[in-house]
Amino acid sequence: MKVLITGGLGFIGTNLTAELRRRGYETWACDLTHSDRDYYRRCDIREYRQLDKLLSEQAFDFVYHAAAEYGRWNGEDYYENLWMTNAIGTKHIVRLQEKLRFKMVLFSSAEVYGDYTGTMAESVMDTTPLKQMNDYAMTKWVNEMQVLNSAAMFGTETVRIRLFNVYGPHEHYTPFRGVVPTFIYKALHDQPYTVYRGHKRTFEYVNDVCVTLANISERFKPGEVYNIASEKQYEIKYLSDLILTKLAKDDSSVSYKNAEPFTTKLKRGDFSRARQDLEHACPTSLEEGITRTIRWMRTAYKIPEEVRQVAVR
Amino acid sequence: MKVLITGGLGFIGTNLTAELRRRGYETWACDLTHSDRDYYRRCDIREYRQLDKLLSEQAFDFVYHAAAEYGRWNGEDYYENLWMTNAIGTKHIVRLQEKLRFKMVLFSSAEVYGDYTGTMAESVMDTTPLKQMNDYAMTKWVNEMQVLNSAAMFGTETVRIRLFNVYGPHEHYTPFRGVVPTFIYKALHDQPYTVYRGHKRTFEYVNDVCVTLANISERFKPGEVYNIASEKQYEIKYLSDLILTKLAKDDSSVSYKNAEPFTTKLKRGDFSRARQDLEHACPTSLEEGITRTIRWMRTAYKIPEEVRQVAVR
């Protein structure tokens, strides 16, 4: 099987490439920049010609469409890139899918549940009116409707996945990233960061998620949509404390604040469908996942444990 | 009062400019091209700098945001322009509204009701889950959420209007226009056209609609949303027959087909809110409106009545 991962240099793309290669697939990746990787092509999905060239030349059986401008605040600050990459770029891919007939996995997000505050089951949008609370969330819901409409009109075959809070190695820190890379990076560099009290989240270790994602290629149900979530809810402060403990640091650089405005206090995803169809599970404990993520981040940012300990003394 | 109409050279923009000037407002327009009009500025709303310059220099009290890539099939064929103008362009305007605090009227569409088949009341999206069936419809719903989120987070003041089937003078024919300009243009030029049987629509004459739109500036309720619809449903074939009768032509150039795929058979809009708050009414009968539209189109395309009659003999 010949597979393409768009956004293949990104956090999930990098991990998914490894998992699909482990399974023996001819796994290609594309992303915005040039790279030294094999089976890789530079391709900006905003540019139809670049996509057309890549997809027409290679005859992929399967496309994991992970390329996207990611995150709520990034989307609010860089909304031009957001709409061009997510809405136009995805429409380009859907148009090419209508012609070339590859199967697709569309990366969506729990953000599509918008202002819904109950347990998020996949069927919520069929039974409950929702409004997305930011442009990033809107683009992801737009993407889902784009593939649904294409399936209805042209018979294209796509599975949608809604990711919750994936974390792990290869997620580089930027000010627009989530709490895990932010807390680890800031703590490693002895920089201040803020912890909002009263928010609870689940955390899914990226290797566990990539096993589930790879399983889709073997158990493909066109038109299906899956929450990729986990069970256990953690206070954000618990996560921060866990990271600080593992780094043998105190919380003197941490500011604590009450509820973050315009952000849900609790996100609970029903993932029974993914468990049943895809054997989705998250066996890696948060403690173990954080240990591995810290180890990767020390390597990525060249902060060896020994040196830190000497510096701390 | 100082007012700007984006998309001011367009069909509704042109008619609305006339109505607002009749009321004595200093009425400016902007659009994609240069023009010989007074109180006019070229401005592509996709380009933040052009918008920022215009809006920051002029201190408008009120912006009628009518600029948009319009129509379902245009949106499917020109989706790059669609998303850039409608999603990014509107976000630019919303960001500038957050800074400059002008009041806004956002032009939305009955297309936001998507796959809903009942009578469309404004509250449908608060009670019923909906999916938009094409990218044009999605952009309009995205625009509504963009202004709702901006109102919630930054206190901006916007009224949304959902237009149904506005027709009348200054709507130039293109292959992406609605049935009224298409049928009149084709019949005037003795070109073939298709009539789908079994579809019913209301038709609102543009001058009636512009009175209602102008009333919003005087009875402005921030956060409100209005259907701008009318009562009487007409078969598409009735419209075609009416036009042919008025042009003294037979239907030998008309093909009749059964239901158009992926298009609702009936669109019924509840406009009681607009009637109550804005004195919305559509006093111009379809017969009278079509007569006036034919008269305008003869002038616009230089097809005088006399010459046609000679040619027919």
Side-chain angles (χ1 to χ4, degrees):
Chain A
M1 191 155 64
K2 195 163 169 176
V3 181
L4 173 69
I5 304 171
T6 69
L9 292 184
F11 162 44
I12 297 178
T14 299
N15 287 285
L16 182 58
T17 300
E19 176 62 29
L20 292 172
R21 286 188 180 162
R22 239 190 309 277
R23 297 190 187 201
Y25 300 157
E26 182 181 328
T27 307
W28 289 69
C30 69
D31 214 313
L32 287 172
T33 58
H34 287 297
S35 162
D36 61 349
R37 283 202 203 167
D38 286 333
Y39 296 92
Y40 176 83
R41 183 82 68 83
R42 174 179 168 182
C43 177
D44 183 340
I45 65 161
R46 290 173 294 193
E47 300 297 335
Y48 181 81
R49 187 193 58 78
Q50 296 176 21
L51 262 176
D52 186 25
K53 189 163 189 288
L54 173 58
L55 292 167
S56 298
E57 277 176 16
Q58 294 289 340
F60 296 106
D61 304 297
F62 222 96
V63 173
Y64 282 88
H65 176 32
E69 287 287 333
Y70 169 79
R72 176 191 175 180
W73 294 113
N74 174 51
E76 292 304 302
D77 282 4
Y78 297 90
Y79 57 84
E80 303 92 339
N81 308 60
L82 176 83
W83 286 106
M84 285 193 277
T85 298
N86 296 17
I88 298 171
T90 298
K91 189 80 173 177
H92 287 331
I93 293 176
V94 168
R95 284 279 183 259
L96 286 161
Q97 185 188 20
E98 287 160 7
K99 192 170 76 174
L100 301 169
R101 315 307 296 179
F102 49 82
K103 291 180 172 64
M104 183 156 82
V105 175
L106 175 79
F107 283 55
S108 183
S109 162
E111 283 281 316
V112 298
Y113 294 109
D115 56 358
Y116 184 73
T117 52
T119 297
M120 295 157 181
E122 290 90 345
S123 58
V124 161
M125 28 275 292
D126 302 323
T127 57
T128 312
L130 301 174
K131 286 191 185 74
Q132 285 78 39
M133 311 293 281
N134 57 73
D135 281 38
Y136 169 68
M138 292 178 211
T139 65
K140 287 292 164 183
W141 180 232
V142 159
N143 287 165
E144 293 205 25
M145 289 191 288
Q146 284 172 326
V147 304
L148 286 169
N149 291 340
S150 173
M153 297 185 78
F154 304 104
T156 47
E157 298 188 328
T158 300
V159 163
R160 292 163 285 145
I161 54 150
R162 296 178 185 151
L163 299 174
F164 279 66
N165 290 298
V166 189
Y167 74 99
H170 300 288
E171 187 175 24
H172 288 269
Y173 167 74
T174 77
F176 295 92
R177 283 290 186 186
V179 284
V180 173
T182 300
F183 291 178
I184 299 177
Y185 180 93
K186 294 286 186 179
L188 273 174
H189 290 83
D190 295 316
Q191 292 174 4
Y193 64 90
T194 301
V195 170
Y196 287 96
R197 289 182 195 274
H199 291 274
K200 282 190 167 183
R201 291 288 183 273
T202 64
F203 295 96
E204 295 83 39
Y205 188 62
V206 67
N207 290 31
D208 298 338
V209 168
C210 285
V211 168
T212 302
L213 295 179
N215 288 348
I216 299 175
S217 66
E218 294 159 16
R219 299 153 191 227
F220 189 73
K221 282 194 184 176
E224 197 54 281
V225 53
Y226 297 104
N227 284 336
I228 309 294
S230 60
E231 192 76 46
K232 203 166 170 189
Q233 298 281 342
Y234 297 90
E235 283 270 355
I236 302 297
K237 182 168 187 305
Y238 176 85
L239 174 74
S240 172
D241 290 348
L242 174 65
I243 289 166
L244 293 171
T245 304
K246 290 199 181 286
L247 297 177
K249 298 191 183 238
D250 63 30
D251 69 349
S252 54
S253 296
V254 179
S255 315
Y256 297 98
K257 287 192 185 171
N258 291 326
E260 191 177 14
F262 303 103
T263 307
T264 50
K265 295 222 171 174
L266 185 66
K267 260 190 189 172
R268 201 185 285 113
D270 177 340
F271 57 97
S272 51
R273 189 184 289 175
R275 185 163 49 198
Q276 186 178 318
D277 285 6
L278 305 172
E279 291 188 9
H280 173 62
C282 287
T284 309
S285 69
L286 184 63
E287 291 69 19
E288 174 61 21
I290 290 295
T291 301
R292 292 193 217 163
T293 307
I294 289 173
R295 194 180 307 140
W296 173 81
M297 224 181 225
R298 282 194 187 280
T299 310
Y301 294 100
K302 301 182 178 60
I303 307 177
E305 201 158 356
E306 300 71 33
V307 173
R308 279 305 320 160
Q309 285 174 344
V310 170
V312 166
R313 256 183 237 132
Chain B
M1 191 156 65
K2 196 163 170 177
V3 180
L4 173 70
I5 304 171
T6 69
L9 292 183
F11 162 44
I12 297 178
T14 299
N15 287 285
L16 182 58
T17 301
E19 176 62 28
L20 292 172
R21 286 188 180 162
R22 239 190 309 277
R23 298 190 186 201
Y25 301 158
E26 181 180 331
T27 307
W28 289 70
C30 69
D31 214 314
L32 288 171
T33 58
H34 287 298
S35 161
D36 61 349
R37 283 203 204 167
D38 288 331
Y39 296 93
Y40 175 84
R41 182 82 70 82
R42 174 179 168 183
C43 176
D44 184 340
I45 65 161
R46 290 174 293 192
E47 299 298 335
Y48 182 81
R49 187 193 57 80
Q50 296 176 20
L51 262 177
D52 186 24
K53 189 164 187 289
L54 172 58
L55 291 168
S56 298
E57 278 177 15
Q58 294 291 339
F60 296 106
D61 304 298
F62 223 96
V63 173
Y64 282 88
H65 176 32
E69 287 288 333
Y70 170 78
R72 177 192 175 179
W73 294 113
N74 174 53
E76 292 304 301
D77 283 4
Y78 296 90
Y79 57 82
E80 303 93 338
N81 307 60
L82 176 82
W83 286 105
M84 285 193 278
T85 298
N86 295 17
I88 298 171
T90 299
K91 190 81 172 178
H92 287 332
I93 293 176
V94 168
R95 283 281 185 260
L96 286 162
Q97 184 189 20
E98 288 159 8
K99 192 170 74 172
L100 302 168
R101 313 308 295 180
F102 48 82
K103 291 180 172 64
M104 185 156 80
V105 176
L106 175 80
F107 283 55
S108 183
S109 162
E111 284 280 315
V112 298
Y113 294 109
D115 56 357
Y116 184 73
T117 52
T119 298
M120 295 156 180
E122 290 90 347
S123 58
V124 161
M125 26 276 293
D126 302 323
T127 58
T128 313
L130 300 175
K131 286 192 184 74
Q132 285 78 39
M133 311 293 281
N134 57 74
D135 281 38
Y136 169 67
M138 292 178 212
T139 64
K140 287 292 162 181
W141 180 233
V142 159
N143 287 165
E144 293 204 27
M145 289 191 288
Q146 286 173 325
V147 303
L148 286 170
N149 290 339
S150 173
M153 296 184 79
F154 303 105
T156 48
E157 298 188 326
T158 300
V159 163
R160 293 164 284 144
I161 53 150
R162 296 177 185 151
L163 298 174
F164 279 65
N165 289 299
V166 190
Y167 75 100
H170 300 288
E171 186 175 24
H172 288 269
Y173 168 74
T174 77
F176 294 94
R177 283 291 184 184
V179 284
V180 174
T182 300
F183 291 178
I184 299 177
Y185 180 93
K186 294 285 187 180
L188 273 175
H189 291 84
D190 294 316
Q191 293 175 6
Y193 64 90
T194 300
V195 170
Y196 288 97
R197 288 182 196 275
H199 291 274
K200 283 191 167 182
R201 291 290 184 271
T202 63
F203 295 97
E204 295 82 38
Y205 188 63
V206 66
N207 290 31
D208 298 338
V209 168
C210 285
V211 168
T212 302
L213 295 179
N215 288 349
I216 299 175
S217 66
E218 295 160 14
R219 298 151 192 230
F220 189 73
K221 281 194 186 175
E224 196 54 281
V225 53
Y226 297 104
N227 284 337
I228 308 294
S230 59
E231 191 76 45
K232 203 166 169 188
Q233 298 280 342
Y234 297 91
E235 282 271 356
I236 302 297
K237 182 167 186 307
Y238 176 85
L239 174 73
S240 173
D241 291 347
L242 175 65
I243 289 166
L244 293 172
T245 304
K246 289 197 182 287
L247 296 177
K249 298 191 183 237
D250 63 28
D251 70 348
S252 55
S253 295
V254 179
S255 313
Y256 297 98
K257 287 192 184 170
N258 291 327
E260 189 177 16
F262 302 103
T263 307
T264 51
K265 295 222 173 173
L266 185 66
K267 259 189 190 172
R268 202 185 285 114
D270 177 339
F271 56 97
S272 51
R273 189 184 287 175
R275 186 163 46 198
Q276 187 178 319
D277 285 6
L278 305 171
E279 291 188 9
H280 172 61
C282 288
T284 308
S285 69
L286 185 63
E287 291 70 18
E288 174 61 21
I290 290 295
T291 301
R292 292 191 215 164
T293 308
I294 289 173
R295 194 180 308 142
W296 172 81
M297 224 182 226
R298 282 195 187 279
T299 310
Y301 294 101
K302 301 183 178 60
I303 307 176
E305 201 160 354
E306 299 71 34
V307 175
R308 280 299 327 153
Q309 284 173 344
V310 171
V312 165
R313 259 183 233 130

